[in-house]
Amino acid sequence: MNALSSTRFPAGVVVPPETVIFGQSSAMQVVRNKVTKAAAANVPVLLEGESGTGKDVIARLIHSQSLWTDGPLVKVSCPAIPGTLLESELFGYEKGAFTGAYGSKPGRVEMANRGTLFLDEIGEMDPLLQAKLLQLLQDSQFCRIGAQHDRHIEVRVICATNRNLAEEIETGAFRQDLFYRINVLNISLPPLRERSEDIPALVDYFLQQCRESYKLTARPVSPAVLQKMKRYSWPGNIRELENVVRRYVILDSDASVIGEAMTTPASDGEIDLPAGVPTSLKAMTRQATLALERRIIRRTLEANGWNRKRAARALNISYRALLYKIKEAGIGTKRMPAEPPTNE
């Protein structure tokens, strides 16, 4: 029997993340099979999928089930480290290599020796640095900044991206030879909207986690609300779902919190129109389109922590176009963090 044939987890039962992440959907069973094969073979793995689909969890599962499980799992978030610092962070440096290098420092690659190096959002890596990573994958060697000799390393490399790397190659943003090196085994994670049958089990799991974390009692989500959640598009995927459940628990099981979060219309595309009021089809269509666009942009911004660059990529529009639409829709920007200038 499937471990998730019942969507209600008994109180007090500790449910491992891998049990809930795979769920019952056929798409995730394909992922489960690939994870098992990836863990058994020491080859580079590329995890693809939208933000919030669980790539981090899958990377940790592959490591925990592999021959390298006794070694370290070292994660590097490529967008979180400026390009000028990422090289030294990855490969380390020798004393005197640059101003401020008062001593030698090993990099994350070295720290991951006989373990797993997890490069999150590899598509954000500078092309010049991609060449040095290519050497690591080809020869199992790297060189610290300022060093005269290469160092040998044994490491499994797992990369993750929410970008279409094939398109990035066409624009010159990503090296084709590096893509072939990291894409030995490809695992594509489906968005939550394509595995809606798993939502009840995910909700129960996050309820359990939040009860334990916040020491609060929360009622189960009603079947009616669960049905609405299954129809919602979840642009932020599992991460967004977790945040909604967290708010539900903190605000004393207030179901309206979930309803307010799901502002994007259901997949049937129906729009409520005022009854008995004369309407202009063109005007009403434009009004509905703008309202829908505003909701989608706001939800995408929330799902990406109000980071406009990531939201623009998630929406597949340019950064400038997103700024224009934010201004046009009158979406408040007080909660948005400052971002560096962009050349987009």
PDB file of all heavy atoms in Angstrom, residues 17 74 103 116 134 182 218 310:
ATOM      1  N   PRO A  17      10.431  13.693   5.506  1.00  0.00           N
ATOM      2  CA  PRO A  17      10.155  14.561   4.353  1.00  0.00           C
ATOM      3  C   PRO A  17      10.012  13.807   3.048  1.00  0.00           C
ATOM      4  O   PRO A  17       9.175  14.149   2.217  1.00  0.00           O
ATOM      5  CB  PRO A  17      11.380  15.492   4.326  1.00  0.00           C
ATOM      6  CG  PRO A  17      11.886  15.491   5.731  1.00  0.00           C
ATOM      7  CD  PRO A  17      11.618  14.113   6.251  1.00  0.00           C
ATOM      8  N   VAL A  74      27.663  19.946   0.912  1.00  0.00           N
ATOM      9  CA  VAL A  74      27.980  21.373   0.932  1.00  0.00           C
ATOM     10  C   VAL A  74      27.138  22.080  -0.121  1.00  0.00           C
ATOM     11  O   VAL A  74      27.260  21.796  -1.318  1.00  0.00           O
ATOM     12  CB  VAL A  74      29.478  21.614   0.670  1.00  0.00           C
ATOM     13  CG1 VAL A  74      29.789  23.111   0.677  1.00  0.00           C
ATOM     14  CG2 VAL A  74      30.318  20.891   1.725  1.00  0.00           C
ATOM     15  N   GLY A 103      45.495  35.155   4.826  1.00  0.00           N
ATOM     16  CA  GLY A 103      45.790  33.754   5.075  1.00  0.00           C
ATOM     17  C   GLY A 103      45.132  32.897   4.018  1.00  0.00           C
ATOM     18  O   GLY A 103      44.339  33.379   3.204  1.00  0.00           O
ATOM     19  N   THR A 116      29.170  15.574  -1.293  1.00  0.00           N
ATOM     20  CA  THR A 116      28.355  16.131  -2.378  1.00  0.00           C
ATOM     21  C   THR A 116      28.436  17.647  -2.381  1.00  0.00           C
ATOM     22  O   THR A 116      28.280  18.293  -1.339  1.00  0.00           O
ATOM     23  CB  THR A 116      26.878  15.713  -2.222  1.00  0.00           C
ATOM     24  OG1 THR A 116      26.786  14.286  -2.267  1.00  0.00           O
ATOM     25  CG2 THR A 116      26.021  16.296  -3.334  1.00  0.00           C
ATOM     26  N   LEU A 134      33.888  23.629 -15.109  1.00  0.00           N
ATOM     27  CA  LEU A 134      34.015  22.599 -16.139  1.00  0.00           C
ATOM     28  C   LEU A 134      35.290  21.776 -15.924  1.00  0.00           C
ATOM     29  O   LEU A 134      35.290  20.546 -16.060  1.00  0.00           O
ATOM     30  CB  LEU A 134      34.018  23.244 -17.526  1.00  0.00           C
ATOM     31  CG  LEU A 134      34.120  22.291 -18.723  1.00  0.00           C
ATOM     32  CD1 LEU A 134      32.916  21.370 -18.786  1.00  0.00           C
ATOM     33  CD2 LEU A 134      34.256  23.095 -20.016  1.00  0.00           C
ATOM     34  N   ILE A 182      27.019  18.618 -16.622  1.00  0.00           N
ATOM     35  CA  ILE A 182      26.175  18.559 -15.417  1.00  0.00           C
ATOM     36  C   ILE A 182      24.867  17.822 -15.670  1.00  0.00           C
ATOM     37  O   ILE A 182      24.170  17.444 -14.727  1.00  0.00           O
ATOM     38  CB  ILE A 182      25.864  19.976 -14.879  1.00  0.00           C
ATOM     39  CG1 ILE A 182      25.005  20.766 -15.874  1.00  0.00           C
ATOM     40  CG2 ILE A 182      27.141  20.722 -14.540  1.00  0.00           C
ATOM     41  CD1 ILE A 182      24.559  22.125 -15.364  1.00  0.00           C
ATOM     42  N   ALA A 218      -3.810  23.389  15.961  1.00  0.00           N
ATOM     43  CA  ALA A 218      -4.477  23.852  14.754  1.00  0.00           C
ATOM     44  C   ALA A 218      -5.421  22.773  14.244  1.00  0.00           C
ATOM     45  O   ALA A 218      -5.065  21.597  14.204  1.00  0.00           O
ATOM     46  CB  ALA A 218      -3.457  24.203  13.684  1.00  0.00           C
ATOM     47  N   ARG A 310      13.827  37.780  -9.539  1.00  0.00           N
ATOM     48  CA  ARG A 310      13.388  36.380  -9.572  1.00  0.00           C
ATOM     49  C   ARG A 310      11.943  36.288 -10.051  1.00  0.00           C
ATOM     50  O   ARG A 310      11.584  35.361 -10.777  1.00  0.00           O
ATOM     51  CB  ARG A 310      13.542  35.757  -8.181  1.00  0.00           C
ATOM     52  CG  ARG A 310      14.983  35.497  -7.780  1.00  0.00           C
ATOM     53  CD  ARG A 310      15.074  34.417  -6.713  1.00  0.00           C
ATOM     54  NE  ARG A 310      14.366  34.780  -5.491  1.00  0.00           N
ATOM     55  CZ  ARG A 310      14.945  35.348  -4.436  1.00  0.00           C
ATOM     56  NH1 ARG A 310      16.246  35.617  -4.451  1.00  0.00           N
ATOM     57  NH2 ARG A 310      14.247  35.639  -3.353  1.00  0.00           N
TER      58      ARG A 310
END
